[in-house]
Every structure is written in structure tokens, then in C-alpha cells.
Amino acid sequence: MIQPLCRYCGKPLRKSVVTVALNSRQPKWRGGISRPDRPSSKEEAQRLFNEVIVSLRYGEDERGRYVSEVGLWDGVTYRDRFFCKGEHAQQFAYSALNYAPTLGTASYHEALKAQQEKEQS
């Protein structure tokens, strides 16, 4: 699958990533997930998950270095389908309307028609 690009600026869209804290017994951690596992490498951590590891952090304590956090991506989901940020969606809409001034939703066209009919009566 080719990574989708922002329809406005052409940058790659951000993946939808879930953060998992490792070596932790807290039920929930900063909006992510916690697991008690304590892998020592990316390869060991990858064996714990079916998703793709796109980021990781290491921690260190009295027992040594370990993977303390991973960012997981399901291989399919992105934060948005078309734009890298809301501002670009808005700028794209203005560009589209400059190019095609009659462009609008069905609701817009219905309201415009009602407005025109009201003016004619």
C-alpha cells in the first residue's frame, strides 16, 4: 500500500498510532495501553504484537536497559483520509471554490434555490 499524501501540500499523512507502555502495571497510561512485559530489544517487543512498531523508547533501571514504550500502527489506518491538518482542508476548500465557484453540497444548493425562489416572489 502506498502511503497517502495530503491533498493540499503533498506531505505523507500521519499514521494512526497507539502507544503501549511496557514494564508497567498501571491499567492505563497517558491515553495508551500498559503491559507488564519487559523486552530488551525491538525484535523481542515485535514478537509481542501483531501491529508494526513505528517508534520505541528505551528505559533503564537496576536490572538494565529495556524497551519501555512502543508506538504501534495497524498497517492501514491514518489520522485523516485526505489532509495532514485541518488548516489544509480549509485551504483546499477555498482553492476548490476559487476554481469552481458553483461547487457546493446538496444542502447548499437547496438553500440557494430556496433563497432565489423567495427573492422572486
Side-chain angles (χ1 to χ4, degrees):
M1 179 177 173
I2 296 173
Q3 185 171 4
L5 304 174
C6 176
R7 298 284 177 100
Y8 184 74
C9 72
K11 289 182 182 177
L13 296 182
R14 293 181 66 182
K15 296 173 174 103
S16 181
V17 177
V18 173
T19 302
V20 179
L22 298 167
N23 193 38
S24 176
R25 299 203 188 291
Q26 297 175 6
K28 198 159 187 177
W29 172 82
R30 278 197 284 161
I33 301 166
S34 298
R35 289 184 56 150
D37 307 282
R38 186 190 163 91
S40 60
S41 66
K42 180 179 180 180
E43 292 74 24
E44 281 184 35
Q46 186 63 72
R47 286 193 285 268
L48 300 171
F49 304 101
N50 290 329
E51 295 87 359
V52 179
I53 293 178
V54 293
S55 64
L56 74 152
R57 280 193 177 159
Y58 287 93
E60 195 164 335
D61 61 15
E62 65 280 347
R63 296 188 297 174
R65 187 173 185 242
Y66 64 96
V67 177
S68 62
E69 181 182 305
V70 293
L72 301 174
W73 179 53
D74 65 8
V76 194
T77 312
Y78 292 86
R79 285 188 167 188
D80 187 273
R81 290 178 52 205
F82 303 111
F83 303 100
C84 64
K85 55 186 173 180
E87 182 183 336
H88 284 187
Q90 184 178 19
Q91 290 170 338
F92 182 88
Y94 281 107
S95 294
L97 288 170
N98 283 330
Y99 179 75
T102 60
L103 185 65
T105 64
S107 298
Y108 165 77
H109 286 289
E110 289 169 14
L112 183 61
K113 182 179 177 183
Q115 185 182 54
Q116 290 168 343
E117 289 171 357
K118 185 177 178 182
E119 286 180 6
Q120 290 174 354
S121 57

